[in-house]
Amino acid sequence: MTLTITRVTHACVLMDFAGQWLLTDPWFSERRGYYRGEPLAFTPGSLPELAGVLVSHGHYDHFDMAAFAAYPHRSVPFVVKRGLAARVRAAGFANVTEVDPWEQASLGGLRVTAAPAKHSVPEVSFVVEGQGQTVFFGGDTLRIAQLDEVARRYPRIDLALLPVNGLAIRPAFNRQVVMTAEQAAELAGVLRARVAVPIHYRYTAGPIRDRLLLKYDGTPERFAQALTSAASATQGKILEPGELLTVPGAAAGQR
Ligand SMILES: [Zn+2]
């Protein structure tokens, strides 16, 4: 069957598995030092009724519970990195499951499996299976070797959503905390993803904080360019906020 996705903004993506809607890493507001740098395609109130919300880690630009509290369906189930449930419940959403890598949860007819990730705070990535489609959501991670295990466990990945800005923290001796566009393209090749969509690349901390605190140069264009050599079987697609992408089901016997 056909999977349809819309990037809401940054790493917040809305996926439609034949009427079962899943949202990743909700971010619906801005504050000092956190600017989207691109439009916001939905508000919490304009979202469809969700089958679930996935949260990769506890940073504000991925876990904006203050703004998401405006979402009207309080029984929506959350699947979050272990340690974040209390903040979900405090925002008024009681249905929450914590996961670490390789733990699973069901959201309606969708199966969610946490996968490894490494960032500046504890994080997971996710694999979502439903309606014959398999999606890898990279969240905000470095390209760690443990991600190769995703390819071993899931020989068919239909869609990979991969962070590409290569963020590094200047006061921490330029410690890298997010994979670069080229590392993301290499991962798309290892995952043998049919389609790959870059996420997490327009965010800025503002001109002064960017100069003092952050360092990043990954762009979706560089990711698309790197895919042509690192993952030539993968179709890259740059998705602006609000733009729809349809991922057709893999033809039987094609893989
Ligand atoms: Zn983060």
Side-chain angles (χ1 to χ4, degrees):
M1 74 110 233
T2 296
L3 165 70
T4 304
I5 70 159
T6 311
R7 213 162 57 80
V8 176
T9 200
H10 198 49
C12 183
V13 177
L14 186 60
M15 301 189 241
D16 175 10
F17 292 83
Q20 294 192 90
W21 298 83
L22 209 61
L23 187 76
T24 62
D25 284 10
W27 186 27
F28 289 95
S29 62
E30 289 184 314
R31 68 186 192 201
R32 207 162 152 200
Y34 287 89
Y35 306 103
R36 283 188 296 276
E38 61 183 358
L40 181 64
F42 288 85
T43 62
S46 71
L47 289 168
E49 186 164 351
L50 301 167
V53 180
L54 307 182
V55 176
S56 66
H57 68 296
H59 280 157
Y60 158 71
D61 56 319
H62 295 255
F63 187 44
D64 181 12
M65 291 312 297
F68 191 80
Y71 180 70
H73 304 286
R74 315 304 290 183
S75 60
V76 62
F78 278 72
V79 180
V80 303
K81 163 69 188 159
R82 178 151 288 119
L84 300 179
R87 286 165 63 186
V88 176
R89 291 195 192 98
F93 300 92
N95 187 349
V96 51
T97 304
E98 294 187 325
V99 288
D100 277 326
W102 312 122
E103 293 179 341
Q104 296 191 320
S106 291
L107 294 172
L110 308 176
R111 182 162 65 172
V112 175
T113 306
K118 185 175 184 341
H119 189 45
S120 55
V121 294
E123 186 182 22
V124 290
S125 57
F126 288 104
V127 176
V128 182
E129 299 164 277
Q131 304 288 336
Q133 300 260 22
T134 303
V135 177
F136 175 72
F137 173 72
D140 202 357
T141 184
L142 289 163
R143 168 59 175 111
I144 50 171
Q146 294 95 305
L147 285 168
D148 291 10
E149 181 66 18
V150 175
R152 281 192 285 274
R153 292 182 187 225
Y154 299 91
R156 207 201 78 200
I157 303 255
D158 297 287
L159 171 68
L161 298 159
L162 301 173
V164 301
N165 75 343
L167 185 68
I169 309 298
R170 289 185 195 272
F173 303 101
N174 291 328
R175 182 166 57 95
Q176 191 184 344
V177 293
V178 184
M179 64 178 94
T180 64
E182 288 71 23
Q183 290 168 333
E186 183 269 340
L187 177 59
V190 168
L191 296 176
R192 298 180 297 276
R194 274 203 299 139
V195 179
V197 172
I199 59 172
H200 199 278
Y201 50 80
R202 294 266 189 258
Y203 152 83
T204 106
I208 294 167
R209 282 183 171 79
D210 275 2
R211 209 168 64 229
L212 296 180
L213 301 177
L214 304 181
K215 191 173 167 176
Y216 54 86
D217 60 7
T219 63
E221 292 78 17
R222 260 177 52 190
F223 173 70
Q225 178 60 37
L227 273 183
T228 60
S229 54
S232 54
T234 298
Q235 185 198 335
K237 172 69 183 162
I238 298 170
L239 209 55
E240 296 304 324
E243 189 184 348
L244 280 179
L245 172 67
T246 295
V247 182
Q254 192 186 316
R255 305 286 298 227

